[in-house]
Amino acid sequence: MAIMKCPSSVNLSQDFSALGGICQTIRTYACRPVNRANPSPIFFTHSSLRISRCSASVLSVTMEEEKEQAFDAGKAALLVKELRKSFSSGKTKSYEWRAAQLQSISKMIDEREKEIIQALQLDLSKPELEAFVSEISMTKSSCQKALKDLKHWMAPEKVSTSITTYPSSAEIVSEPFGVVLIISTWNYPFLLSLDPVIGAIAAGNAIVLKPSEIAPATSSLLSRLLSEYVDRSTIRVVEGAVPETSALLDQKWDKIFYTGSTRVGYIVMAAAAKHLTPVVLELGGKCPAIIDSNINLEVAARRILAGKWACNNGQACIAIDYIVTTRSFAPKLVAALQLTLEEFFGKNPLESQDICRIVNLYHFKRLAKLLDEDGTSDKIVLGGQRDENKLRIAPTILLDVPEDSLIMQEEIFGPLLPILTVDNIEDSFHMINSKPKPLAAYLFSDNDGLQKQFVQNISAGGMLINDTVLHLTVPTLPFGGVGESGMGAYHGKFSFDAFSHKKGVLYRSFKGDALTRYPPYTPEKQRLLKALISFNIIGIILAILGWSKK
């Protein structure tokens, strides 16, 4: 990881603008009540926010009003001050408050499911079933898991003590950090906003959520729904883009949780360093999949597709970024993937209703640039079709692209899948380890020995054997990165732990006070203390009897 100089002030403009497609949120819409008989007057396209059936009075906002409404460092400081006051009152520390907020979020998901699906459709053209399974259901499951286990998580953990503190008892107490900032991302804008919020609530913190402006419909919906369903004095949503994020990062937080690109992760960590604020960074990287030849190819092809194109069309941090297989097996693998792609998305995947679009024009052009690079464009063996007006790129497979090509130097985050070949499958280990550590790594093989080598020799945030992406659905497993793919982990109790300080507490009575620990340090005391500290039973007995080993 490159060493980054900590700036005196954080300016995200240049770095965020490179990500492209940043839309300013329409605040008037965020505050409007939903009219179920008359759907939202705002619909979004990739190039702009188009507004229909709105009165001229709603749209006419003067420059003076805009300046007055702007969320700047001053307003951010005031917000943090208000939340610190609420946190200091102690209300967030009670089980009753935590459970009530979690129950409200669960209720919100049930009651507003259609609106959530509609927002995801507007932002990403996400198919309804994919939206339900990967966003709504998983968020609800996290909420229910926290409610079920909250009392157990909150209970102090009893631990053993040493002979030097006898008689005593000890425990680890989980206490909330305080006021925390959660900055979420756009590819799973509902799940990746609320999942860490659920953990922060369970741990008893006051929270500011900054949703991604690149998914404006979901951002606006989260702002409106959370202000309606949860305690607004302790949980707030701040919408916006670069200025708002910069204003928030200028403040002192007790913890920052960021999900997004490694590039912006550097910025978030630099801002946190100014205040020695701990961070959780959920980033990404080039997630590899090694495909051995001794597999059920039909099943493997379906699971590979599920972990690439049926996973937000490759726009996921744990999506397969590239495949490594043997030269002799590659043609069979490509043929199986081609057949399964046609089964999933038809002969013309650009028209399929079961696959997401590219999130915006910037990312569409970024992916097109990867495809059109000299030395890469002639490696396409399947797909490559695109429709800029609809922001659609067909699932695309490339074979043996140069390792120094752009597509192999940066995270793809889209429907492009390079396949690299090696002579022996074990050679793939060196190839993967020569790159930054990924967020996830996959292996398809029935060879037990190869599976053990894979687990022992490949460093990644998480691993899955003979499938893809499902490891993140297991709440007893931590989900997080390593190296440039991130730091810290969450999901299940790991979410509670991510937002909790583990406070060690030792209890002693006034009984059993040994004079041995106090001056003057006579030879007898020294012998006894040394024996106690080293837990030398014979030495302890001899010291008590006044004898030495001699």
Side-chain angles (χ1 to χ4, degrees), residues 324-522:
V324 186
T325 192
T326 59
R327 289 184 178 86
S328 59
F329 189 65
K332 293 180 182 178
L333 177 60
V334 172
L337 292 174
Q338 181 176 3
L339 181 63
T340 310
L341 275 167
E342 190 170 315
E343 291 175 359
F344 280 20
F345 306 119
K347 292 184 180 295
N348 185 5
L350 291 180
E351 299 298 326
S352 174
Q353 299 302 307
D354 295 318
I355 194 166
C356 297
R357 63 167 169 79
I358 307 306
V359 66
N360 58 30
L361 186 59
Y362 167 81
H363 282 284
F364 180 93
K365 291 185 175 181
R366 178 184 62 80
L367 292 165
K369 181 181 178 182
L370 298 182
L371 275 182
D372 295 338
E373 185 186 14
D374 289 343
T376 298
S377 57
D378 60 347
K379 301 297 184 180
I380 297 173
V381 295
L382 181 67
Q385 303 90 345
R386 62 193 87 164
D387 185 334
E388 184 173 317
N389 291 328
K390 294 182 179 180
L391 291 180
R392 295 266 180 170
I393 297 178
T396 302
I397 297 175
L398 307 96
L399 185 60
D400 280 328
V401 298
E403 283 202 57
D404 61 353
S405 60
L406 287 175
I407 203 170
M408 288 306 299
Q409 297 304 308
E410 61 182 66
E411 185 178 8
I412 294 171
F413 224 74
L416 319 180
L417 182 60
I419 297 178
L420 306 182
T421 60
V422 292
D423 292 326
N424 301 300
I425 201 67
E426 290 82 4
D427 296 338
S428 59
F429 292 178
H430 174 72
M431 181 183 295
I432 293 169
N433 286 331
S434 67
K435 304 180 187 303
K437 296 177 182 181
L439 184 60
Y442 305 105
L443 169 68
F444 285 81
S445 176
D446 274 336
N447 184 321
D448 291 341
L450 187 63
Q451 291 181 10
K452 290 178 182 178
Q453 289 181 52
F454 178 73
V455 173
Q456 291 174 356
N457 296 319
I458 300 297
S459 181
M463 289 183 160
L464 183 51
I465 311 294
N466 291 331
D467 210 328
T468 57
V469 308
L470 289 182
H471 62 296
L472 70 83
T473 67
V474 182
T476 51
L477 289 175
F479 178 75
V482 59
E484 289 191 25
S485 61
M487 62 183 69
Y490 71 127
H491 287 184
K493 187 175 184 294
F494 298 100
S495 292
F496 176 86
D497 292 341
F499 289 100
S500 299
H501 165 61
K502 301 300 180 181
K503 182 168 61 178
V505 182
L506 179 68
Y507 297 92
R508 297 202 70 206
S509 73
F510 289 104
K511 298 177 181 178
D513 191 46
L515 297 178
T516 310
R517 65 182 286 199
Y518 306 114
Y521 300 119
T522 63

Side-chain angles (χ1 to χ4, degrees), residues 102 105 109 139-140 142-143 146 193-203 495:
L102 295 172
I105 290 177
I109 295 169
T139 307
K140 180 74 177 291
S142 293
C143 212
S193 292
L194 288 186
D195 208 355
V197 166
I198 288 166
I201 290 172
S495 292

Side-chain angles (χ1 to χ4, degrees), residues 273-292:
K274 292 192 302 179
H275 304 289
L276 294 180
T277 300
V279 297
V280 173
L281 301 178
E282 293 295 337
L283 308 176
K286 298 189 72 64
C287 300
I290 299 173
I291 315 296
D292 200 3

Side-chain angles (χ1 to χ4, degrees), residues 19 37 50 75-76 98 118 122 134 151 210 241 271 288 300 305 331 361 373 477-478:
L19 301 179
R50 295 180 180 175
K75 290 189 176 181
R98 304 183 201 196
Q118 181 188 35
L122 290 169
S134 64
K151 285 186 178 179
K210 167 60 182 67
L305 262 69
L361 186 59
E373 185 186 14
L477 289 175

Side-chain angles (χ1 to χ4, degrees), residues 21 177 191 196 235-236 251 434 484 495 514:
F177 276 107
L191 171 68
I235 303 169
R236 300 286 287 275
Q251 310 309 311
S434 67
E484 289 191 25
S495 292

